[in-house]
Amino acid sequence: MSAVAESFTHVVPLAGSDNPLAGLLARQRAAFNARGEPSSLAERREMLRKLEQALMDQRLALADAMAADFGGRARQESLLELFVVIDDLRYAQAKLKSWMRRRRVSANWQFLPSRACLMPQPLGVIGVIGAYNYPVMTTLSPVVGAIAAGNHVMMKPSSLTPRSTELMRQIISSLYKEEVVAVVTGDSSVAKQFSKLPFDHLVFTGSTRVGKLIMRDAAENLVPVTLELGGKCPAIVGEGYDLKTAAETIVQTKFLNAGQTCVTGDYAMVPEASVPEFLQHARNAIKAFYPKLVDNQDYGRVLIKSDWTRLSDWVEEARGRGAKVETFNPANESFGPDNRVFPPTLVSDCPTDTTLCREEIFGPVLPVLGYKTLDSALAHVNAGERPLALYFFSNRSADVERVLKRTISGGVSINGCGYHAIQHNLPFGGVGASGIGAYHGQAGFDRFSHLKPVLFMSKLTKASVFLRPPFGVLAAWVLGFMLHNRPRRENL
């Protein structure tokens, strides 16, 4: 780690506590409990508005910080990342009144005319652990839902992006009291301490391997978790779909942020006869998008040096097993672990038992696999862990329905890549090895709320009275009536 990074890697000091993290959590929980009642609509809206305005004011500084952390990153990519958070903030402010309302539900017919409702209440203190690939979005997007739901928040951004983390810390500390929203900074040992705290809910974004450790730590205190992980997200091109459109879309998403996107198409599956044409369109797209690599801020860097070596090893393993590897370096530039520029790489004829085909790549390498039938492609997908996202390109509605019904994934985009993950009304999350739980929009508000069930018993409701001991003929009749009578079908 560089000296600059080390200067930002510290635990926020807190006076009067031997354990700063536990002390901060205790103070946040005490402040939350001291309120007596949850924060009002106006208070929550103001908290969200302040964060929106601060991110707008600091958007260029945040983009510059992310570029410095990555050693080069397109400003447009960073502004797109910020847009996702800012758009979430605006949507939450617009919808918060309706989200906070009590939600009327039907009481059982045996208890009519009693009334029932679900009453949203904040959980308490929410912990958030962000990831390095999108340091602002993965840290602040869950915070939007947590604040909207009326919680206090402790967040731990990635230590691998020290400049972005420090700027976020400065922004948050200028907006909120530490007892309400706070940023904790530090290395992996601090993150380990953080994950062991008895939060009311803990959100983690990162790898499946680390997600297992986070869940194990949280389980010690019975802390519920939301885990946003990853996996091998397939991009399947259906028979008859325009190959040029599919190739350009997959390439655009795959090489965004140097492939370090959890919902990117990890690999492409194309009808066997169409693989050569798809590869040609993919080559053309790469050359058009990235005429240079090193001297090009539009082409991202692999953030971690060891990941550069890992990717190189995986590609060479595939090459040694007979795969065809194509790397693109249009301007004949030099790159390696030191400048962290990994060239866009296409891999075809790749054995399915190579590491590239078994593990999440998380880098600018796209394996292209041929398939004989759509059923065989789906069998390949279903043989692995549940992916965070699945992409299918097809204009045949029957094939689309087959894919939707026969696969299980965190989310799906048809004829596109990635953008389902930022829709307000589509919960974002994984399933199985790709994650637990989801947020965004109302799903985020609900995730960080307790929807407390409340029953208002009517004086006219006599079912419980008739079932009091000593049991006799009347109780037997009432039970018989309840057992043999069903509600009308429209109420089922």
Side-chain angles (χ1 to χ4, degrees), residues 6-337:
E6 287 175 349
S7 69
F8 291 126
T9 304
H10 64 282
V11 182
V12 176
L14 296 169
S17 173
D18 292 335
N19 186 331
L21 297 181
L24 176 55
L25 175 58
R27 290 164 55 196
Q28 286 213 344
R29 180 160 287 131
F32 177 84
N33 292 335
R35 294 189 61 92
E37 293 185 2
S39 54
S40 67
L41 170 63
E43 289 173 316
R44 298 184 199 184
R45 275 183 173 162
E46 178 61 13
M47 289 182 69
L48 295 169
R49 187 202 64 78
K50 283 167 40 176
L51 182 54
E52 174 202 342
Q53 188 60 55
L55 293 180
M56 283 295 296
D57 292 344
Q58 296 290 334
R59 63 189 184 277
L60 297 183
L62 282 164
D64 290 344
M66 286 186 271
D69 284 332
F70 277 81
R73 192 190 199 204
R75 172 167 283 185
Q76 291 79 2
E77 290 185 9
S78 295
L79 291 178
L80 177 60
E81 177 179 347
L82 286 167
F83 162 77
V84 174
V85 181
I86 291 168
D87 196 42
D88 282 347
L89 286 160
R90 291 169 177 167
Y91 186 77
Q93 291 172 72
K95 295 293 184 179
L96 189 53
K97 184 176 181 179
S98 63
W99 295 349
M100 290 177 65
R101 289 193 187 112
R102 296 182 183 185
R103 305 171 194 181
R104 187 168 181 175
V105 296
S106 298
N108 291 7
W109 67 270
Q110 299 94 338
F111 292 86
L112 295 175
S114 297
R115 296 178 293 111
C117 74
L118 298 174
M119 180 179 175
Q121 286 190 313
L123 294 174
V125 181
I126 309 299
V128 177
I129 302 177
Y132 71 83
N133 57 327
Y134 290 96
V136 175
M137 183 174 68
T138 61
T139 304
L140 293 184
S141 280
V143 172
V144 175
I147 290 176
N151 297 284
H152 292 197
V153 185
M154 287 173 59
M155 65 188 87
K156 169 65 180 71
S158 174
S159 62
L160 297 174
T161 53
R163 297 163 186 84
S164 307
T165 292
E166 173 62 13
L167 187 50
M168 277 191 285
R169 188 193 66 76
Q170 293 175 12
I171 290 171
I172 294 299
S173 64
S174 71
L175 298 179
Y176 311 114
K177 293 181 179 179
E178 196 173 55
E179 291 79 10
V180 180
V181 183
V183 175
V184 172
T185 62
D187 58 16
S188 59
S189 65
V190 177
K192 179 70 172 174
Q193 296 174 45
F194 193 93
S195 66
K196 289 178 176 291
L197 294 174
F199 292 109
D200 296 292
H201 196 100
L202 178 62
V203 185
F204 167 76
T205 303
S207 70
T208 300
R209 179 187 65 81
V210 178
K212 293 177 181 179
L213 301 176
I214 296 290
M215 191 172 184
R216 184 182 305 162
D217 289 342
E220 290 295 321
N221 292 303
L222 295 179
V223 175
V225 295
T226 296
L227 303 178
E228 301 300 346
L229 308 177
K232 295 194 70 64
C233 303
I236 307 171
V237 182
E239 289 279 359
Y241 192 83
D242 183 71
L243 293 171
K244 182 175 185 290
T245 300
E248 289 177 349
T249 304
I250 294 169
V251 164
Q252 177 187 0
T253 310
K254 176 63 177 183
F255 298 106
L256 177 75
N257 202 31
Q260 299 162 114
T261 305
C262 58
V263 293
T264 193
D266 188 86
Y267 63 101
M269 300 192 75
V270 182
E272 279 187 349
S274 301
V275 169
E277 184 181 347
F278 177 89
L279 286 170
Q280 187 55 51
H281 289 304
R283 294 182 194 107
N284 294 341
I286 292 171
K287 293 173 183 176
F289 294 164
Y290 306 113
K292 294 181 181 179
L293 302 179
V294 178
D295 188 24
N296 182 2
Q297 289 299 305
D298 289 344
Y299 188 70
R301 272 58 173 165
V302 174
L303 184 69
I304 305 173
K305 280 187 178 183
S306 60
D307 274 353
W308 198 101
T309 304
R310 170 183 62 81
L311 291 168
S312 180
D313 290 344
W314 288 7
V315 169
E316 289 309 309
E317 178 206 6
R319 193 196 304 271
R321 294 284 306 282
K324 182 180 179 182
V325 176
E326 300 177 74
T327 59
F328 295 83
N329 184 12
N332 262 343
E333 296 167 293
S334 298
F335 40 73

Side-chain angles (χ1 to χ4, degrees), residues 437-475:
Y439 60 91
H440 282 187
Q442 185 171 346
F445 177 91
D446 289 351
R447 188 68 178 168
F448 305 122
S449 298
H450 172 52
L451 300 181
K452 184 163 68 178
V454 181
L455 178 66
F456 297 90
M457 286 285 285
S458 169
K459 294 179 180 179
L460 300 177
T461 302
K462 301 300 182 183
S464 62
V465 174
F466 295 145
L467 296 176
R468 290 174 181 168
F471 301 115
V473 175
L474 182 58

